[in-house]
Amino acid sequence: QVQLVESGGGLVQAGGSLRLSCAASGRTFTRSTMGWFRQAPGKEREFVAAIIWAGVRYADSVKGRFTISRDTAKNTLYLHMDGLKAEDTAVYYCAARGDYSGTYASVDTYEYWGQGTQVTVSS
């Protein structure tokens, strides 16, 4: 059974930093698209960042502030967030699929999802 478990969320002041982790179990995701999405109250789930076959991709709203990375030995995905803003407040979800196919910014691309971790940025 494949599981993705996020951790690292919390409450932080504007301008602060957090690092989210997503530990995968049940299979490895070495050559797979993996990403982070977020969902604020009353809004649709939106793309944040992804690791694809060609490198990394970011939403314009987080470019230059967030960094996605993967430790294949630990089968873990990370999202380092700097310069946090109030508008970054959301539940953050880790997602993965079994290969590099699909459109990285689309929720429909991903086969596996974590349960989410809350990030709250106070202004």
Side-chain angles (χ1 to χ4, degrees), residues 45-89:
R45 193 168 297 190
E46 65 174 6
F47 168 73
V48 174
I51 295 179
I52 66 173
W53 66 273
V56 297
R57 299 292 184 266
Y58 297 96
D60 287 343
S61 60
V62 307
K63 203 171 292 183
R65 299 188 297 121
F66 290 10
T67 303
I68 188 172
S69 62
R70 173 166 59 191
D71 186 330
T72 54
K74 295 182 178 179
N75 210 23
T76 299
L77 183 73
Y78 301 98
L79 184 69
H80 189 93
M81 306 183 291
D82 291 321
L84 283 161
K85 305 175 182 179
E87 52 262 44
D88 295 319
T89 295

Side-chain angles (χ1 to χ4, degrees), residues 4 10 15 22 31 36 41 55 68 75 79 81 96 103 114 117 119-120:
L4 302 177
C22 171
R31 293 184 179 84
W36 290 95
I68 188 172
N75 210 23
L79 184 69
M81 306 183 291
T103 304
T117 186
V119 172
T120 302

